[in-house]
Amino acid sequence: SGQGGYEAIMRKLQAERTERERALSRMKLLSVSSSDTSAPPPQHLSASSHSSSANHASPSKGGGGGSSRPGGGAEHSSPAIAPAASRSEVSQDTTPRDIGLIQRRPNLPGSLRPDGYDQGSPAVPHAGHPDIPIEILPFLMLGTFKTASDHGIVTGMGISGLLNCCKQPFDPETLGAPGIQYLQCAFDDEDTSLSLQRQKAMDLISSTRQAGGRVLMFCERDWHGAACIMYLMWECRLTLLQALSLVQYKMSSLRISPKLCAYLIQYEAILHGCNSMRLLAGLVTEIEP
């Protein structure tokens, strides 16, 4: 448990990353942007295309694992492909909307499972203090523009990377904290590829973690939650259901736009060859047992 446990898992996952990148580089990452709407739906992807990723051991309690299922073989993850988003469902709507609470929380690897996760009640982190960062992993936190602008919070919590997840401008110079890395990945920019923004964000998080730092992902319109889910699916090999459940538990509530919901479904199918959630009325929802 703690920092050491996370780092042990992350070092193991990092060794797998190069092989996964080679496999994924041969595929066109589906992006639900105006330039990518002709991409094939995820149910046409063969699970065998992802064998180089799916056959690796998943993180599990104690750092071991022998399951080939992504995310350590969560009990409630469906191995079947969920109904793919039709062209009409692949919305360009970028308005964040409330995602329904996960009723059947999937298992999480022991080192990623927060205290109280298995007890069924949602976490209420920093009740009454919405601008205090929420820790998702020891090196990854979520916050607001006010959080990112607070010199005391940024320096006091050892944050060395700031990741702005929307197109709203932010001036890191106002912090007066030299050495802070800043990157803007505008997931709400309709004129850019979501795949490009995702890769830029993951590169910053990975490089900052390797340097022993911490990243604060921030946004005023809830885009950072979905961006965090993408990272958890990629680096920790969680299913969409697992990653969403973890972030939702930490944040108590979660808002994602229909455009990003469709992208998350497609991205999971690319990574794992199957889907653990489906689209309903444009939003991700649990697959009925």
Side-chain angles (χ1 to χ4, degrees):
S1 59
Q3 181 77 28
Y6 283 110
E7 287 302 319
I9 288 177
M10 293 308 167
R11 282 194 297 270
K12 181 178 178 181
L13 291 171
Q14 186 64 30
E16 301 174 1
R17 182 170 183 175
T18 300
E19 184 176 350
R20 297 203 309 272
E21 284 178 340
R22 283 200 299 266
L24 288 173
S25 69
R26 296 193 293 268
M27 305 172 62
K28 292 182 179 179
L29 293 179
L30 303 179
S31 173
V32 192
S33 62
S34 58
S35 62
D36 296 327
T37 53
S38 62
Q43 79 268 32
H44 292 162
L45 296 172
S46 169
S48 63
S49 301
H50 311 284
S51 59
S52 62
S53 172
N55 288 336
H56 287 300
S58 303
S60 62
K61 192 168 184 178
S67 171
S68 63
R69 184 178 298 179
E75 287 183 349
H76 305 311
S77 297
S78 171
I81 297 294
S86 67
R87 288 181 183 273
S88 61
E89 286 182 297
V90 179
S91 172
Q92 295 301 307
D93 185 353
T94 60
T95 303
R97 300 182 184 177
D98 289 323
I99 301 299
L101 287 173
I102 300 298
Q103 299 300 314
R104 301 167 61 246
R105 285 184 187 151
N107 285 344
L108 290 176
S111 295
L112 298 177
R113 189 183 304 128
D115 293 338
Y117 177 83
D118 297 325
Q119 297 175 5
S121 59
V124 186
H126 312 303
H129 304 282
D131 296 314
I132 296 179
I134 298 172
E135 182 181 289
I136 303 298
L137 298 173
F139 56 86
L140 185 60
M141 314 184 81
L142 301 181
T144 65
F145 265 74
K146 187 174 180 180
T147 307
S149 304
D150 190 311
H151 179 276
I153 289 179
V154 171
T155 58
M157 301 193 75
I159 294 169
S160 55
L162 294 175
L163 181 55
N164 181 1
C165 295
C166 63
K167 58 186 177 182
Q168 182 175 333
F170 176 82
D171 184 7
E173 296 297 326
T174 58
L175 270 175
I180 300 291
Q181 282 188 291
Y182 171 74
L183 179 66
Q184 183 174 25
C185 294
F187 287 92
D188 56 344
D189 187 345
E190 299 176 0
D191 297 324
T192 191
S193 164
L194 289 174
S195 294
L196 175 62
Q197 302 301 328
R198 172 192 54 76
Q199 190 59 56
K200 287 166 53 182
M202 291 196 300
D203 287 345
L204 175 67
I205 297 170
S206 295
S207 63
T208 303
R209 174 182 61 80
Q210 290 169 6
R214 309 178 87 184
V215 173
L216 174 67
M217 306 177 76
F218 64 97
C219 182
E220 288 299 323
R221 298 188 64 225
D222 299 301
W223 292 84
H224 56 334
C228 180
I229 288 171
M230 294 178 201
Y231 179 80
L232 293 172
M233 285 197 293
W234 170 265
E235 194 66 55
C236 300
R237 298 195 68 247
L238 298 184
T239 65
L240 173 55
L241 180 61
Q242 287 175 311
L244 189 147
S245 182
L246 174 58
V247 173
Q248 189 180 66
Y249 177 79
K250 290 276 191 170
M251 298 181 70
S252 300
S253 63
L254 182 62
R255 291 166 57 82
I256 305 178
S257 72
K259 180 177 180 178
L260 270 180
C261 284
Y263 182 83
L264 289 171
I265 290 286
Q266 292 179 332
Y267 185 51
E268 180 185 37
I270 289 174
L271 286 178
H272 302 318
C274 60
N275 283 119
S276 60
M277 303 190 77
R278 65 188 180 98
L279 286 178
L280 180 64
L283 301 180
V284 288
T285 187
E286 295 174 81
I287 299 175
E288 293 298 326

